[in-house]
Amino acid sequence: MAAAGNAAALRPFGALNALAQGTTGYKALVCIFLFGGNDANNTLVPFDTAGYANYAKIRGPLAIPQTGTGALLQLGGMPNFALNPNLPDIAALFNSNNVALVTNVGTLTEPTTKAQYLAAGTTLPTNLFSHPDQQLEWQNASQSGATSTGWAGRIADQLNSAYNSGAQVPMITSVAGDTLFCNGGASTPVSVSPGNLGAAQCSEGTTECGAQLATAQALLSFNSGLTLVQADNSITTNAYSYAKTLSAAVQSVTPLKTSQLQQIAQIIQVRAALGVSRQIFFCGVGNFDTHSNQLALQNLLLSQISPAMAAFYAATVEMGVQSSVTSFTMSDFSRTFQPNSNTGSDHAWGAHHMVMGGAVKGGQMYGTFPTITLGGPDDSGTNGRWVPSTGSVQYAATLASWFGVSAAQMPLVFPNIGSFASSNLGFV
C-alpha cells in the first residue's frame, strides 16, 4: 500500500478518467486490514485541555505532543479530538466530510458491559487478545475463529445472483492472499498478486511454454476419482480462467505500480468489461504488533497508509465512482492505553476505525468514545483494554446494508446481529 514519498503520490493512480466506465448501480467495498493490532489510542487522541493532560500522563513515553514538531492534527469541526500526525491526508478527508471515525469497536456476540465481562455474564468471543483468533473473528463476524466462512463471502452468497449473474470473475477479490473474510459457502473469491494479474509467467521459448501449458491443462482435466484432488483441480482451473480474464480486461488501461490499493483501482476501472455491478476487495498492511519501539513503527506504517488511502480516493473521484466505493479499516484489536516497559503496548480490545468514501457521512465520529481511565468504567482490567461499546458485527452490518444486503438477508450474513438493538450505525 505504500505510496511514493513525493507530491505525485497524492495524485490518482495514472490517467483513469479517459477510460472510466458506467457507474449505474455499481458499488464496491474495500477492506483495509491493519494486521497485528493497530494502537487506536495513538490514532485518535483527546485534544481538549483536560483530556490531553490525562492522555499524556498515562501514555508517558508513547504520548504524541500536542504542539510543536510532530504534533497531533486537530480535527476541524471536532476540536476536542486529533489524529496521529502521520495521517495528514486522512485528517484532510475527514475535514472535507469524506472520512468518518467509528469509535471503540471490537468483537462482540452481544452487547457487553465491564461488569458483565468480569462476571462472565454474556457470551464472549473466544480467545480475546489473541492475534489469530481476533483476526479471524473480525473477518467472519462470529464468536469463534472456527466458523469457516467470512462475512464478505456470505454477502456474495446472498447477492451474486441479483447483481453479478453474468460476471466473468467472482464478486470478491483479495490482493493480500487467501483470507477467511473472502470465503463463502457457495461462492469463492479470486486472489491476485498486485502488478501481476496474469499470474504465473513462463520465461522459456514459445514452444516450451506452450508445451508446459498444455501439460498443465491435461492434468487438470484428468479425472483421478479423488474428491480432494478434483476440488483442487477445479480451483486451479478457475484461477487460470480468472487470470486470463483480468489480464485481458486491463490490457487497454494504463499500467499501475504494484501496491495493493493501486491494483484494486485498476480492477474497478475495468468493472464493465468484467460484468460486475458489485465488488468486494480485501487488502492488508502490517505489522502493527508494537510491543516495543511503538512510536517509530506505528509512525512508519501510518505514514504509508495515509497517502495510499488518499490516492485511492482521488482515483475513485477521477473515475467518477467516489460515491460508489466505500473503504474501511479492520484490525485484530487495539492496544493497551498504559505502555509496557519496552516503549510499546500490549494486546487490547476496543479500537477506532476509519471509513472513507463519497457516500460516507464524514466529518463525524460514530459510536461512544471510551472513558480514558485505567480501571475505569470501560476498562476490562487495569491497564486500558477498552470493552467495546460497538460490536464489529454492527460495523460490518452497516457497510453491508449500504452495499445492498436487505433486512431479510442480514441474519443470514450476520447470525448474531439480532442480539444488538441497532444494525445500522448510520455512517454511510
Side-chain angles (χ1 to χ4, degrees):
M1 287 175 56
N6 53 46
L10 303 184
R11 293 175 57 82
F13 303 130
L16 304 179
N17 55 344
L19 293 162
Q21 300 167 7
T23 63
T24 303
Y26 177 78
K27 286 187 177 181
L29 288 172
V30 180
C31 175
I32 304 168
F33 205 101
L34 311 181
F35 284 101
N38 174 50
D39 181 18
N41 293 309
N42 263 15
T43 301
L44 178 64
V45 178
F47 202 75
D48 62 287
T49 301
Y52 180 81
N54 177 64
Y55 158 84
K57 178 181 178 181
I58 300 175
R59 290 241 95 179
L62 298 186
I64 300 170
Q66 192 173 27
T67 59
T69 304
L72 291 163
L73 303 170
Q74 188 176 19
L75 293 172
M78 296 196 63
N80 288 339
F81 290 92
L83 285 178
N84 187 288
N86 295 283
L87 294 172
D89 314 294
I90 302 301
L93 286 166
F94 180 91
N95 292 337
S96 64
N97 298 331
N98 297 123
V99 162
L101 299 168
V102 188
T103 62
N104 200 19
V105 188
T107 53
L108 291 172
T109 58
E110 58 185 315
T112 302
T113 65
K114 174 180 179 175
Q116 290 170 325
Y117 168 76
L118 294 176
T122 59
T123 302
L124 294 170
T126 58
N127 297 322
L128 288 170
F129 321 128
S130 156
H131 285 298
D133 292 280
Q134 294 308 295
Q135 287 174 11
L136 293 176
E137 289 167 32
W138 263 95
Q139 293 178 45
N140 67 12
S142 183
Q143 181 192 2
S144 166
T147 299
S148 60
T149 58
W151 61 264
R154 296 195 296 270
I155 288 176
D157 289 343
Q158 295 300 313
L159 300 188
N160 259 326
S161 60
Y163 290 104
N164 284 11
S165 59
Q168 299 183 56
V169 295
M171 180 180 290
I172 306 175
T173 300
S174 171
V175 294
D178 183 27
T179 60
L180 175 62
F181 177 74
C182 303
N183 295 335
S187 57
T188 57
V190 58
S191 179
V192 302
S193 176
N196 184 23
L197 291 182
Q201 302 293 321
C202 177
S203 59
E204 299 179 49
T206 302
T207 302
E208 291 84 352
C209 290
Q212 289 178 18
L213 179 60
T215 301
Q217 297 290 359
L219 287 171
L220 291 174
S221 62
F222 175 70
N223 188 346
S224 67
L226 299 175
T227 302
L228 287 176
V229 173
Q230 293 303 118
D232 182 71
N233 285 351
S234 176
I235 292 170
T236 305
T237 300
N238 285 340
Y240 274 120
S241 174
Y242 299 149
K244 182 178 180 180
T245 299
L246 286 166
S247 181
V250 301
Q251 288 304 307
S252 62
V253 299
T254 305
L256 299 173
K257 297 179 181 179
T258 57
S259 74
Q260 295 179 23
L261 283 174
Q262 288 173 322
Q263 186 65 83
I264 290 171
Q266 188 179 47
I267 295 173
I268 290 174
Q269 186 182 3
V270 297
R271 59 198 176 278
L274 299 175
V276 293
S277 61
R278 288 292 187 276
Q279 288 184 286
I280 303 176
F281 297 92
F282 182 92
C283 65
V285 63
N287 183 358
F288 283 92
D289 194 18
T290 51
H291 288 282
S292 61
N293 195 28
Q294 176 175 298
L295 285 178
L297 294 174
Q298 188 188 32
N299 287 351
L300 175 63
L301 289 165
L302 294 182
S303 69
Q304 296 173 349
I305 290 170
S306 182
M309 288 182 65
F312 179 72
Y313 179 74
T316 65
V317 171
E318 190 170 358
M319 288 186 285
V321 296
Q322 68 271 25
S323 295
S324 301
V325 179
T326 298
S327 307
F328 59 97
T329 61
M330 299 198 304
S331 190
D332 318 16
F333 35 60
S334 185
R335 309 194 72 81
T336 54
F337 193 62
Q338 186 177 55
N340 60 27
S341 59
N342 294 318
T343 62
S345 56
D346 300 320
H347 302 176
W349 197 358
H352 315 313
H353 288 281
M354 302 174 282
V355 186
M356 179 181 75
V360 172
K361 299 172 185 176
Q364 302 180 60
M365 286 192 343
Y366 295 81
T368 303
F369 196 83
T371 300
I372 307 297
T373 303
L374 299 184
D378 296 315
D379 191 353
S380 64
T382 59
N383 60 353
R385 288 187 170 102
W386 316 129
V387 177
S389 51
T390 296
S392 58
V393 64
Q394 295 173 279
Y395 178 70
T398 303
L399 294 160
S401 178
W402 171 83
F403 192 67
V405 175
S406 69
Q409 293 168 324
M410 201 65 72
L412 301 174
V413 177
F414 305 106
N416 294 326
I417 196 62
S419 300
F420 297 86
S422 174
S423 63
N424 195 319
L425 304 177
F427 55 76
V428 66

